[in-house]
């Protein structure tokens, strides 16, 4: 019992020490034992991102974490600037969702030298030095791409002709764009009739999806399927398809990833055919991991988010209860 309390006191004082800067991370809230987290968000490009920001902000509040938040407007240089400013402010922990996968080693080394632990959330970096961050919390994007591809394989198994697929990729160089492409391509190898005839980035935005789809429609009279890397791009594609006088979900089938409210509404209205879920609700797990890291507890190298998929029928059933 006594031993247990001693451990608890030791753990608590370790947390306080770290939070107040005892290991070189003098907290912005010096004098209190509140954890200060610097969070460098990608931007506000999609419904998913808005829900993710809300989740992080609400969870920080609930967990009593003092959150410093920045929006990089989808630019890596802005994110690097934000991280450097968090290092200067001596926050206790930095969390960020990297806009793109490469180019992070220098700034991550600066955080390490300043003794500030880093947690990756949502997206990965391609750094070979795994000591530059404590853990990575987020989805398995390759798996998401595979699930999307598996649906196309199943849906077109009786096709007698080539099935022409166009792909609207996410932000060039980002982990979800790279991995979803990889997973999707892997899955559709199962049927040689499935062909990606065009592939371009819509930068994970609705306007980007619309623009790319307009160009695809102009250059390819015979499109059967759209694979959009997120709901917003798919929603933009719907606008372009309707403007071209075609019926989304029927003349051209649409598969997307995310399952945010607008996407799920289009799915239940028959304009999208299938959605692979990517959960933005990472806030609670992030706060938990941050507390553990700062208490010196071990955390898994990788925490994978649990996710499902939705057909049109399933979307109708759950739409009213979707939290985002
Ligand atoms: O990194 C997650 C992806 O980024 C989501 O699928 C997309 O909507 C967002 O912009």
């Amino acid at each position: 019992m006594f031993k247990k309390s001693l451990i608890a006191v030791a753990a608590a004082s370790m947390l306080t020490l770290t939070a107040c800067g005892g290991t070189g991370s003098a907290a912005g809230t010096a004098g209190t034992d509140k954890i200060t987290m610097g969070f460098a968000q990608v931007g506000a490009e999609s419904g998913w991102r808005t829900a993710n920001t809300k989740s992080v902000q609400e969870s920080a509040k609930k967990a009593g974490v003092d959150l410093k938040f920045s929006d990089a407007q989808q630019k890596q240089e802005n994110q690097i600037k934000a991280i450097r400013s968090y290092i200067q402010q001596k926050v206790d922990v930095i969390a960020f969702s990297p806009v793109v996968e490469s180019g992070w080693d220098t700034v991550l080394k600066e955080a390490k030298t300043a003794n500030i632990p880093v947690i990756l959330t949502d997206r990965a970096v391609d750094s070979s030095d795994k000591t530059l961050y404590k853990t990575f919390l987020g989805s398995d994007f390759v798996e998401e791409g595979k699930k999307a591809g598996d649906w196309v394989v199943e849906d077109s198994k009786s096709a007698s002709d080539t099935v022409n697929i166009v792909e609207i990729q996410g932000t060039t160089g980002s982990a979800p764009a790279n991995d979803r492409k990889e997973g999707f391509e892997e899955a559709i190898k199962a049927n040689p009739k499935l062909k990606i005839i065009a592939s371009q980035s819509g930068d994970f935005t609705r306007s980007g999806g619309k623009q790319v789809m307009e160009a695809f429609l102009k250059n390819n009279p015979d499109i059967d399927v759209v694979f959009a890397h997120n709901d917003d791009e798919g929603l933009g594609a719907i606008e372009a398809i309707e403007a071209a006088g075609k019926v989304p979900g029927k003349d051209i089938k649409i598969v997307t990833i995310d399952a945010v409210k607008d996407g799920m509404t289009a799915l239940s209205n028959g304009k999208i055919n299938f959605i692979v879920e990517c959960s933005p609700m990472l806030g609670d797990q992030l706060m938990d991991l941050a507390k553990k890291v700062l208490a010196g507890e071990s955390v898994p190298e990788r925490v994978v988010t649990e996710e499902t998929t939705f057909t049109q029928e399933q979307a109708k059933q759950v739409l009213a209860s979707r939290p985002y």
Side-chain angles (χ1 to χ4, degrees):
M1 178 72 183
F2 176 66
K3 202 170 163 201
K4 251 192 184 166
S5 332
L6 255 188
I7 293 170
V9 169
S13 57
M14 194 180 326
L15 183 61
T16 309
L17 241 189
T18 323
C20 294
T23 54
S25 61
T29 50
T32 76
D33 50 11
K34 215 175 181 188
I35 291 170
T36 304
M37 174 187 282
F39 186 87
Q41 181 59 289
V42 170
E45 73 281 7
S46 60
W48 189 100
R49 190 63 56 195
T50 309
N52 178 247
T53 293
K54 195 166 170 247
S55 165
V56 171
Q57 288 173 335
E58 287 179 356
S59 299
K61 219 175 183 181
K62 249 193 322 187
V65 170
D66 180 15
L67 188 75
K68 295 182 184 297
F69 182 88
S70 60
D71 172 338
Q73 298 180 337
Q74 288 187 280
K75 291 199 172 69
Q76 183 176 33
E77 64 266 32
N78 290 346
Q79 250 184 343
I80 291 176
K81 261 189 221 153
I83 294 171
R84 290 208 165 112
S85 130
Y86 295 145
I87 296 172
Q88 240 175 7
Q89 293 173 59
K90 299 182 168 44
V91 298
D92 299 305
V93 56
I94 292 171
F96 81 115
S97 173
V99 179
V100 289
E101 277 191 286
S102 56
W104 298 101
D105 281 31
T106 307
V107 73
L108 289 179
K109 277 180 192 152
E110 290 168 24
K112 194 176 174 187
T113 306
N115 234 336
I116 301 176
V118 172
I119 298 177
L120 301 179
T121 159
D122 163 36
R123 298 183 181 179
V125 297
D126 65 3
S127 171
S128 56
D129 182 355
K130 306 286 177 227
T131 70
L132 294 178
Y133 54 91
K134 297 290 177 193
T135 179
F136 165 34
L137 160 70
S139 310
D140 181 338
F141 295 134
V142 176
E143 191 55 32
E144 290 174 350
K146 266 194 194 139
K147 287 177 187 169
D150 286 344
W151 184 85
V152 178
V153 170
E154 182 58 29
D155 186 64
S156 46
K157 65 174 182 238
S158 52
S160 46
D161 284 336
T162 303
V163 176
N164 291 328
I165 303 169
V166 294
E167 179 185 33
I168 308 179
Q169 291 185 44
T171 302
T172 306
S174 69
N178 295 341
D179 294 354
R180 286 170 184 169
K181 183 174 187 52
E182 182 191 323
F184 185 82
E185 283 177 353
E186 186 56 43
I188 64 166
K189 275 186 195 157
N191 182 352
K193 288 208 168 74
L194 303 180
K195 292 253 169 343
I196 299 180
I197 56 165
S199 180
Q200 211 177 301
S201 170
D203 211 11
F204 282 131
T205 65
R206 209 171 284 205
S207 57
K210 187 176 177 198
Q211 254 181 351
V212 169
M213 192 64 208
E214 282 166 354
F216 283 166
L217 285 160
K218 241 186 228 155
N219 301 325
N220 308 279
D222 196 12
I223 297 170
D224 299 304
V225 178
V226 175
F227 168 44
H229 283 197
N230 78 346
D231 285 355
D232 279 83
E233 290 176 334
L235 292 163
I238 289 173
E239 289 176 31
I241 292 169
E242 285 176 336
K246 297 196 175 190
V247 182
K250 293 213 163 62
D251 296 336
I252 299 180
K253 294 194 174 168
I254 304 178
V255 183
T256 67
I257 297 177
D258 274 356
V260 294
K261 201 80 169 221
D262 287 355
M264 292 291 274
T265 305
L267 182 62
S268 44
N269 291 340
K271 294 188 179 193
I272 292 181
N273 300 80
F274 188 68
I275 298 187
V276 178
E277 185 185 39
C278 176
S279 175
M281 310 300 274
L282 304 176
D284 287 351
Q285 281 172 295
L286 173 61
M287 298 308 145
D288 253 29
L289 286 167
K291 285 186 176 179
K292 284 190 176 141
V293 165
L294 290 170
E297 288 175 36
S298 69
V299 291
E301 244 174 66
R302 177 79 170 98
V303 182
V304 182
T305 319
E306 273 176 41
E307 284 154 355
T308 183
T309 58
F310 296 99
T311 60
Q312 292 174 337
E313 275 318 304
Q314 289 164 332
K316 280 180 203 155
Q317 282 158 25
V318 300
L319 186 61
S321 61
R322 288 299 282 172
Y324 53 87

